Amino acid sequence: MAPRIVLLHATPVAMGPIQSAFAARWPEAETVNLLDDGLSIDRAREDELSEALIERFVAFGTYGYRMGADGILVTCSAFGPAIDRLAASLPIPVLKPNEAMFRAAIAQGQRIGMLATFGPAVGTMTDEFDEFVAGSNRPAALKTVLVDRAIALLKGGDAETHNRLVAERAPELADQDAIMLAHFSTSRAAEAVRAVVKVPVLTAPDAAVDAMRELVMARSKVGA
C-alpha cells in the first residue's frame, strides 16, 4: 500500500504548493489534507503561542495520526512549539515545514535571508533556525524581511500581486548567500524572486517532500 501522509494546514493558501510538490517529487504517496484555518486566524491574534492553541494543534495532529498516517507534514510555520509537542507524542515522523529548507540554506553559506509574509511566524521560525544552526555546528545568521499585505492579497485570490510584492523586497537580501521563502504559500513567488536576485532562492515544499519521503522510507525498512 502507498504510504499515507497527512498534511496539516492552518491556511488554505498552503495547500496548492505542497500538493504540487508531492505530485512532482513523490506521486506514489497518498496525501490527506486536514485544514483548520481557525488556527492561523487565532494565531495572528496572539503575540506568543498560547497553551490553549498548542493543545488545539496537538489534538488536530492526533486526529490525523488516527487516520492511519505514516507521516505528518505541517505546512504552517507559526506553530513550532506545538509541532514539537505533537512529534514527541506520536510514534511516526512529524515534520516541521522548514527543517529541510534550513539544511539546504546553510549549505549555501553563513548569511541567510528570509522573505516572510505572515508576521506571527517570524519569531518561531527564527527560533527554529537558531536551534537548527546550533545543532548543525555550522555558523549562520538569519536576516528577515517581512512583506506586508502580501498574504492578505493571496488569500483574496490575487497571487500575481502577492508575487510582485515579495519580489520587490528581495533585493534587500541580495547580499546574502541564500534567500529562503518562509512559508509554503510564499513559494508561489519563487520565479519572480529569482528574476531579480542572483543568489539561490529556496522554497519549503520541495525540500519538505524529499525529507518526509526519506523519513518514511527509512522507517518502513526498519519495520520490515
Side-chain angles (χ1 to χ4, degrees):
M1 294 179 61
R4 170 172 283 190
I5 308 302
V6 172
L7 307 174
L8 299 186
H9 307 287
T11 175
V13 295
M15 298 174 74
I18 190 59
Q19 289 291 359
S20 296
F22 268 99
R25 308 183 77 85
W26 194 15
E28 301 84 6
E30 178 187 65
T31 57
V32 176
N33 294 282
L34 295 183
L35 170 65
D36 179 358
D37 55 356
L39 286 168
S40 62
I41 292 170
D42 294 339
R43 178 67 182 92
R45 294 171 178 157
E46 298 183 351
D47 293 331
E48 300 290 338
L49 186 61
S50 67
E51 180 64 23
L53 208 51
I54 290 175
E55 291 178 359
R56 275 175 55 189
F57 188 94
V58 171
F60 182 47
T62 301
Y63 174 77
Y65 167 67
R66 290 172 178 167
M67 296 174 66
D70 295 297
I72 292 176
L73 174 57
V74 182
T75 66
C76 183
S77 48
F79 294 90
I83 301 170
D84 288 336
R85 190 176 300 181
L86 177 65
S89 71
L90 298 181
I92 61 171
V94 177
L95 190 62
K96 291 180 180 178
N98 301 297
E99 290 179 25
M101 183 172 66
F102 290 165
R103 184 175 296 108
I106 65 172
Q108 299 292 333
Q110 298 183 8
R111 300 172 302 164
I112 308 302
M114 183 168 73
L115 288 165
T117 60
F118 186 53
V122 172
T124 56
M125 286 191 68
T126 300
D127 291 343
E128 289 171 15
F129 181 83
D130 290 342
E131 290 172 8
F132 183 85
V133 167
S136 69
N137 295 317
R138 298 186 65 172
L142 183 65
K143 178 181 178 181
T144 299
V145 170
L146 179 62
V147 185
D148 295 323
R149 297 178 48 239
I151 197 167
L153 289 164
L154 182 59
K155 288 180 177 179
D158 190 354
E160 182 178 351
T161 305
H162 164 273
N163 296 349
R164 177 176 57 79
L165 291 176
V166 173
E168 285 177 354
R169 301 294 302 276
E172 298 175 38
L173 300 172
D175 61 342
Q176 303 296 292
D177 296 313
I179 296 174
M180 301 187 299
L181 302 187
H183 323 295
F184 278 43
S185 59
T186 325
S187 65
R188 292 173 172 85
E191 292 309 311
V193 173
R194 290 176 180 134
V196 297
V197 295
K198 296 181 179 180
V199 299
V201 176
L202 307 175
T203 64
D206 286 353
V209 170
D210 291 346
M212 178 56 75
R213 181 175 187 171
E214 183 178 338
L215 289 169
V216 170
M217 292 298 99
R219 185 169 180 268
S220 67
K221 289 178 181 178
V222 171

